[in-house]
Amino acid sequence: MTKYPELEAPLFIYDMDGTSVNFSKDLDLKLERVLPPEAFATRKIHEYWIEDAFEEKYHNTIYELLCEEGFFLNMEPIPGAIEAIHEMLDEKLRVMICTTPHPESMFCIGEKTAWVKKYLGKEFVKHMIFTQDKTIIHADVLIDDKPEIHGYNKSPSWTHVLFGAVYNQHVDTPHRLNDWTKWREVIYPILENPK
């Protein structure tokens, strides 16, 4: 079993949906089940929020889908994400999952916890943070696919590394990770030149 690093080690917080969990792939399959084919003709692929990618008449259906039992449970990891976590731990970095639960889903937190147990082990559940505001979490680096992260703290302690997705390719950022096998090339320069 991986030994967790000491508290002085740099801390990385790491999003789930769209960053370590292949949310888009599974979501697309589920959307095809509940939306008519014509809904996809006008889909805006550059929208971060899935509801905003579709016409308003489909929003309630999408919202209900996100709240379904099992929605978050059986998604696959993004290739390389699980391996990257273990590599970070082996290199004496601290890693925590930091995810925003769906505010209306009664299943989201339990299913995300079950996902972490399945792919990272029961011990890693202790290294999960559920929050509606990631800006208040003190860390060195946040890896997240969301283009802009706002909250109570206007100057978060972490450096945001944008995890690449089709809906954020237009975003100009100095810190981007498109492939988990390249994490060292992105992360270590940030550690060498902290905020």
Side-chain angles (χ1 to χ4, degrees), residues 57-148:
K57 62 185 175 181
Y58 302 119
H59 288 190
N60 284 343
T61 302
I62 294 169
Y63 192 78
E64 289 170 5
L65 174 67
L66 295 172
C67 293
E68 276 185 5
E69 184 174 6
F71 180 82
F72 293 96
L73 189 59
N74 296 311
M75 296 185 182
E76 299 173 3
I78 284 182
I82 303 303
E83 294 82 356
I85 288 180
H86 289 298
E87 289 166 0
M88 289 177 181
L89 292 170
D90 288 344
E91 295 184 25
K92 308 304 179 195
L93 304 173
R94 290 183 295 149
V95 183
M96 296 189 80
I97 293 280
C98 186
T99 185
T100 300
H102 192 289
E104 298 298 327
S105 171
M106 61 188 296
F107 308 107
C108 181
I109 290 176
E111 291 183 1
K112 287 190 174 196
T113 301
W115 190 95
V116 167
K117 283 182 185 177
K118 177 178 179 179
Y119 288 103
L120 290 164
K122 183 170 65 173
E123 184 69 17
F124 204 88
V125 170
K126 298 174 188 174
H127 300 268
M128 294 183 75
I129 301 167
F130 290 97
T131 181
Q132 296 294 330
D133 186 353
K134 294 178 184 178
T135 70
I136 64 174
I137 306 301
H138 185 78
D140 296 284
V141 174
L142 166 66
I143 305 172
D144 201 306
D145 62 311
K146 189 174 183 179
E148 294 183 6

Side-chain angles (χ1 to χ4, degrees), residues 172-185:
D172 184 24
T173 175
H175 307 293
R176 178 184 289 276
L177 179 63
N178 291 317
D179 178 346
W180 277 112
T181 64
K182 309 292 185 187
W183 71 266
R184 292 177 185 85
E185 297 168 23

